[in-house]
Amino acid sequence: MDGSNAGSRKLAAEAMLGRPRAVARLISLIENAVAGPDRAPDAGTALREVMAELATGTREPYRAWVIGLTGAPGVGKSTTTSMLIRTLRGRDARVGVLAVDPSSPFTGGALLGDRVRMQEHATDPDVFIRSMSSRGHLGGLAWATPQALRVLEAAGCDVILVETVGVGQAEVDIAKLADTTVVLLAPGMGDGVQAAKAGILEIADVFVVNKADREGARATVRELRNTVSLATAPWRPPVVTTVAVRGEGADELSTALDGHLAYLEESGEARRRRLARARDEIEAIALARLRSRFSGLHGDRLDALAERLLAAEIDPYTAADDLVAAVAHAER
Amino acid sequence: MDGSNAGSRKLAAEAMLGRPRAVARLISLIENAVAGPDRAPDAGTALREVMAELATGTREPYRAWVIGLTGAPGVGKSTTTSMLIRTLRGRDARVGVLAVDPSSPFTGGALLGDRVRMQEHATDPDVFIRSMSSRGHLGGLAWATPQALRVLEAAGCDVILVETVGVGQAEVDIAKLADTTVVLLAPGMGDGVQAAKAGILEIADVFVVNKADREGARATVRELRNTVSLATAPWRPPVVTTVAVRGEGADELSTALDGHLAYLEESGEARRRRLARARDEIEAIALARLRSRFSGLHGDRLDALAERLLAAEIDPYTAADDLVAAVAHAER
């Protein structure tokens, strides 16, 4: 066993003991492996070794309940997350929070400065809070998020809350990872609600209308209930109202979530979702590896092909065939 | 030459003559090839043949000026696009419009019902307007959009406007495709503006503050100018104010866009951006092909590997290695 391997074993062991520093260090390693918009994520040897230890050494893998929270900016995601942490801590659950920021892929954004709103839990040794930005393009979050979940799971988290800004692909990615997806709305955000309606119904397991003391709350709830009543899926998402900043609606939200968890277990859907998450994790790592091969081929074949495409000497499909053949050859 | 090939040649020829029906048909073929959240995009033989014809048969490939327009819902993207079409038509340019909807990946959403706002151009034979939804997961739009641009370019468009809702990955993808990226804002959307600021500066070539007759417009402009003044890149994005619904600011916008185009040509940046677009197009096709191989492997190896990961019998990196090796073997 070489030095690197010994260090990896130690780091893995400490993460599995739930040591906050080891957990933080590992999630940073994962985040840093997502290099930038023009490079595929790439785990170094140390990270690979630790992740292998965790994958096969965790006592009960895939035991944690992963709850995704998504919604437009300003809807109260962090406040709701904080309220949820209080409820869960009241039940003695160990809680992980992963705040995923898809908004600033180039810089590693600052959107989640509002972790401040979760400050009350900062000193609780059974609450792990981490934010993760998506510096990487093309599947950076799809690569990193399942691995970060794996780390939090290994650290003994009973519940993991994944919070993300709810528009577009990021929202869908979270829904694919989560056991239960909570979609947050607030009254008076008309345009957004209307616009998002079609897609939202397909990812939401529970709806929360937050800031329910504001004007228009009833209309928003009514509208949502109408939308939900059209759902044909076996699970019909409940609509809960909250004023998270005052802790109002905490019990109702908790009941709705428990209801969905019971449904997941009874229907066999829990296992299906976890299998899909495992598939996505493997596929994201495999794709990243193949992508990094594209650029790594000698003489940068992709650049040469792009030049020929620009000059109308080749078509894009033939160019892609050439690239795939070169990668396959290099992998042998 | 078989029947399929003859049909493909005819379709390609008609698209290159700028026949609206052929253009619409081709973009539908591209859109339909993006199959769904769980399948990789896959072009059939006919589409491949047509795209090959277009890639090597277009008189001046990569001649069109691709302008991306992005911004939050409600900011006035369609109205601004329509205003821009008027300006461009006044110069006798042939204009393509691609409205990309990333919000409803599962259903093929209805967000762009506001094509109604571009209705005035519906009967103009030199304006092609198409919307495209991102039914596909993981790179569906990255696969389809460059190909749709290729079709509009082949049809003789001098300018192509690509409009998309501006949050997260979709926005970045558009910025990578476009020669010039316009970021739209409106007064009084405080939260969003603040939140998006970090990332926005890195993708914007021109800022538009639309609905500039509204309260708070001056503050928004001032804030943006402050942000822009910090930019270190060689191009400093101008900030233009418009009231698109009344056509106000059309000339200023046009001047700002022309200024950026001149910069692109003089600096050599135009060629760099087009080369990057060609790279991305090839890479997206190659990745989709490799992804479809993942599921196509006999006995569905990915499912089997996911089962083993769930059972803690394997780690995700080893599983990914296995998958990549199997794909490489199948490609030989």
Side-chain angles (χ1 to χ4, degrees):
Chain A
M1 191 197 301
D2 65 20
S4 148
N5 205 294
S8 302
R9 272 174 198 244
K10 187 156 173 277
L11 187 54
E14 284 178 357
M16 286 190 272
L17 287 170
R19 301 262 160 82
R21 277 179 127 181
V23 171
R25 167 112 190 275
L26 270 177
I27 296 183
S28 293
L29 281 175
I30 293 166
E31 196 184 30
N32 292 338
V34 179
D38 290 320
R39 274 172 50 205
D42 189 12
T45 312
L47 182 56
R48 269 197 75 133
E49 283 170 0
V50 177
M51 294 306 285
E53 291 281 329
L54 297 188
T56 54
T58 300
R59 228 176 333 131
E60 298 175 76
Y62 294 90
R63 187 188 59 98
W65 180 15
V66 179
I67 303 179
L69 288 105
T70 184
V75 87
K77 282 183 297 299
S78 299
T79 326
T80 306
T81 301
S82 191
M83 181 175 86
L84 208 46
I85 299 173
R86 276 200 300 279
T87 309
L88 293 164
R89 291 298 298 130
R91 299 187 196 173
D92 261 343
R94 180 175 283 190
V95 182
V97 179
L98 202 59
V100 173
D101 178 0
S103 71
S104 183
F106 285 127
T107 41
L111 226 176
L112 297 154
D114 46 12
R115 268 193 293 168
V116 186
R117 281 165 213 165
M118 298 181 215
Q119 204 62 52
E120 61 172 292
H121 308 289
T123 57
D124 184 336
D126 283 312
V127 178
F128 301 89
I129 301 181
R130 271 296 308 233
S131 64
M132 210 162 61
S133 62
S134 85
R135 272 170 292 193
H137 178 59
L138 247 173
L141 281 179
W143 188 90
T145 315
Q147 296 188 56
L149 291 180
R150 185 172 289 286
V151 171
L152 290 168
E153 228 155 23
C157 289
D158 303 293
V159 184
I160 303 172
L161 308 174
V162 186
E163 181 194 319
T164 195
V165 176
V167 183
Q169 199 55 56
E171 177 173 67
V172 177
D173 288 342
I174 296 304
K176 288 192 85 181
L177 283 175
D179 299 308
T180 301
T181 300
V182 180
V183 173
L184 279 91
L185 300 155
M189 300 184 74
D191 262 23
V193 178
Q194 289 299 338
K197 228 162 69 171
I200 239 176
L201 193 58
E202 304 193 46
I203 65 162
D205 298 310
V206 173
F207 282 107
V208 171
V209 177
N210 191 31
K211 306 189 180 181
D213 51 346
R214 286 206 187 163
E215 200 178 339
R218 275 193 203 177
T220 304
V221 170
R222 194 167 48 232
E223 200 187 338
L224 265 177
R225 292 218 163 108
N226 280 338
T227 307
V228 166
S229 70
L230 304 170
T232 52
W235 171 259
R236 185 166 294 184
V239 179
V240 177
T241 58
T242 57
V243 186
V245 76
R246 293 203 302 262
E248 290 175 25
D251 290 348
E252 291 84 342
L253 175 54
S254 170
T255 304
L257 291 172
D258 289 344
H260 188 252
L261 183 60
Y263 159 77
L264 286 175
E265 302 292 355
E266 285 157 18
S267 62
E269 181 68 17
R271 191 179 149 72
R272 274 194 294 278
R273 292 201 183 192
R274 277 150 204 211
L275 201 59
R277 194 171 105 208
R279 272 184 76 116
D280 287 350
E281 182 177 0
I282 298 170
E283 192 180 70
I285 294 172
L287 276 178
R289 177 160 163 193
L290 289 166
R291 259 196 80 210
S292 70
R293 289 288 185 281
F294 288 169
S295 314
L297 293 171
H298 60 97
D300 207 332
R301 192 185 290 243
L302 179 50
D303 267 345
L305 290 167
E307 291 279 4
R308 293 184 62 200
L309 185 55
L310 227 61
E313 292 168 9
I314 197 172
D315 72 86
Y317 286 95
T318 304
D321 286 349
D322 183 300
L323 194 60
V324 167
V327 166
H329 192 267
E331 283 292 337
R332 290 187 340 183
Chain B
M1 191 199 300
D2 65 19
S4 150
N5 204 293
S8 301
R9 272 175 197 244
K10 187 156 173 279
L11 188 53
E14 284 178 356
M16 286 191 272
L17 288 171
R19 300 263 160 81
R21 278 178 127 181
V23 171
R25 169 112 187 275
L26 269 178
I27 296 182
S28 293
L29 281 174
I30 293 167
E31 196 183 32
N32 292 339
V34 180
D38 292 319
R39 272 172 51 206
D42 190 12
T45 312
L47 181 56
R48 268 196 76 133
E49 284 170 359
V50 177
M51 294 306 285
E53 291 279 329
L54 296 188
T56 53
T58 300
R59 228 176 334 128
E60 299 176 73
Y62 294 91
R63 187 188 59 99
W65 181 15
V66 179
I67 303 178
L69 289 105
T70 182
V75 87
K77 281 184 297 301
S78 300
T79 326
T80 306
T81 301
S82 191
M83 181 175 84
L84 209 46
I85 300 172
R86 275 199 301 279
T87 309
L88 294 164
R89 291 298 297 131
R91 300 186 195 174
D92 261 344
R94 180 174 282 190
V95 182
V97 179
L98 202 60
V100 172
D101 178 1
S103 70
S104 184
F106 285 128
T107 41
L111 226 177
L112 297 154
D114 48 11
R115 268 194 292 168
V116 186
R117 282 166 213 165
M118 297 182 215
Q119 204 63 51
E120 60 172 293
H121 308 288
T123 56
D124 185 336
D126 283 311
V127 178
F128 300 89
I129 301 180
R130 271 297 307 235
S131 63
M132 209 161 63
S133 62
S134 85
R135 272 170 291 192
H137 178 60
L138 249 172
L141 281 180
W143 187 91
T145 315
Q147 296 187 58
L149 291 180
R150 186 171 287 288
V151 171
L152 289 168
E153 228 155 22
C157 289
D158 302 293
V159 185
I160 304 172
L161 308 173
V162 186
E163 180 194 320
T164 194
V165 177
V167 184
Q169 199 56 56
E171 177 172 68
V172 177
D173 289 341
I174 295 305
K176 288 192 84 182
L177 283 176
D179 299 307
T180 302
T181 300
V182 180
V183 172
L184 278 91
L185 300 155
M189 300 183 74
D191 262 23
V193 178
Q194 289 299 336
K197 228 163 67 174
I200 239 177
L201 192 60
E202 305 193 45
I203 64 162
D205 298 309
V206 172
F207 281 108
V208 171
V209 177
N210 190 32
K211 305 189 180 181
D213 52 346
R214 286 207 187 161
E215 202 179 339
R218 274 193 203 177
T220 304
V221 169
R222 195 168 46 231
E223 200 187 337
L224 265 178
R225 293 218 162 109
N226 281 337
T227 308
V228 166
S229 71
L230 303 170
T232 52
W235 172 259
R236 185 166 294 184
V239 179
V240 177
T241 57
T242 57
V243 186
V245 75
R246 292 203 302 263
E248 291 176 23
D251 291 347
E252 290 84 342
L253 176 54
S254 171
T255 304
L257 291 172
D258 289 344
H260 188 253
L261 183 60
Y263 160 77
L264 286 175
E265 302 292 356
E266 284 157 20
S267 63
E269 181 68 17
R271 192 181 148 71
R272 274 194 293 278
R273 293 201 184 192
R274 277 150 205 210
L275 201 59
R277 194 171 106 208
R279 271 185 77 115
D280 287 350
E281 181 177 0
I282 298 169
E283 192 180 70
I285 294 172
L287 277 178
R289 176 158 163 194
L290 289 166
R291 258 197 80 211
S292 71
R293 289 286 184 282
F294 288 170
S295 313
L297 294 171
H298 61 96
D300 207 330
R301 193 185 289 243
L302 178 51
D303 266 345
L305 289 167
E307 292 279 4
R308 293 185 61 200
L309 185 56
L310 227 62
E313 292 168 9
I314 197 172
D315 71 87
Y317 287 95
T318 304
D321 287 348
D322 184 300
L323 194 59
V324 167
V327 166
H329 192 266
E331 283 292 337
R332 290 187 340 183

